[in-house]
Amino acid sequence: GTYYPLTGMNEQVRQQLVDDHFLFVSGDPNLKVAGMERDWPEGRGIFHNKDKTFLTWVNEEDQLRIISMQSGGDVRGVFDRLARGIKAVGDSVKAESGKDFMLDAKYGYVHSCPTNVGNRYACICPC
């Protein structure tokens, strides 16, 4: 797959990500008040695989949002890809930094957005 940093993004790439409904944008008033849009667009980007069924958003609302999706009703396939992706990203973070994702025994995975605290999964299978 390919990682696309928001800083210095080519206009053709930006438009394709918009057309694919993958690009997140600045402007949410709640994120602004919380200080989560400081230095926009520095340090933000999107990764997706060649099939556009696995994506990661870097420093959008959460530090990292991992997304698995595909058309049809194969929920198991979407979940299996998500599980493999979470493990691969976690292994990469561990190899690079020596640290694991932040996991609290009571609250689950730690996020910057309070609505996403814990283990939050959203499976999307548009028909």
Side-chain angles (χ1 to χ4, degrees):
T2 305
Y3 177 74
Y4 304 93
L6 266 62
T7 304
M9 183 178 284
N10 172 296
E11 178 56 29
Q12 182 179 354
V13 169
R14 189 196 71 75
Q15 188 58 53
Q16 185 61 56
L17 291 169
V18 167
D19 292 347
D20 290 339
H21 305 286
F22 291 170
L23 189 64
F24 54 85
V25 296
S26 167
D28 183 304
N30 295 317
L31 297 180
K32 284 184 175 183
V33 168
M36 292 167 50
E37 289 202 4
R38 289 187 303 264
D39 303 316
W40 186 274
E42 295 291 325
R44 291 165 174 84
I46 300 167
F47 166 88
H48 69 72
N49 65 354
K50 79 173 177 59
D51 295 331
K52 299 181 179 179
T53 57
F54 182 79
L55 299 89
T56 59
W57 287 359
V58 178
N59 292 326
E60 183 253 357
E61 186 174 298
D62 293 310
Q63 290 87 357
L64 183 65
R65 183 174 298 195
I66 303 172
I67 303 165
S68 175
M69 62 185 182
Q70 71 186 49
S71 294
D74 185 7
V75 176
R76 178 62 185 237
V78 171
F79 182 81
D80 287 347
R81 183 183 318 104
L82 178 65
R84 287 190 315 272
I86 290 170
K87 179 169 180 1
V89 171
D91 290 349
S92 178
V93 167
K94 179 79 171 186
E96 185 73 24
S97 69
K99 299 180 191 272
D100 292 311
F101 290 132
M102 291 177 61
L103 178 62
D104 182 271
K106 181 175 180 181
Y107 298 110
Y109 290 97
V110 178
H111 300 272
S112 57
C113 181
T115 61
N116 295 339
V117 167
N119 299 314
R120 181 173 178 252
Y121 294 103
C123 293
I124 301 168
C125 298
C127 296

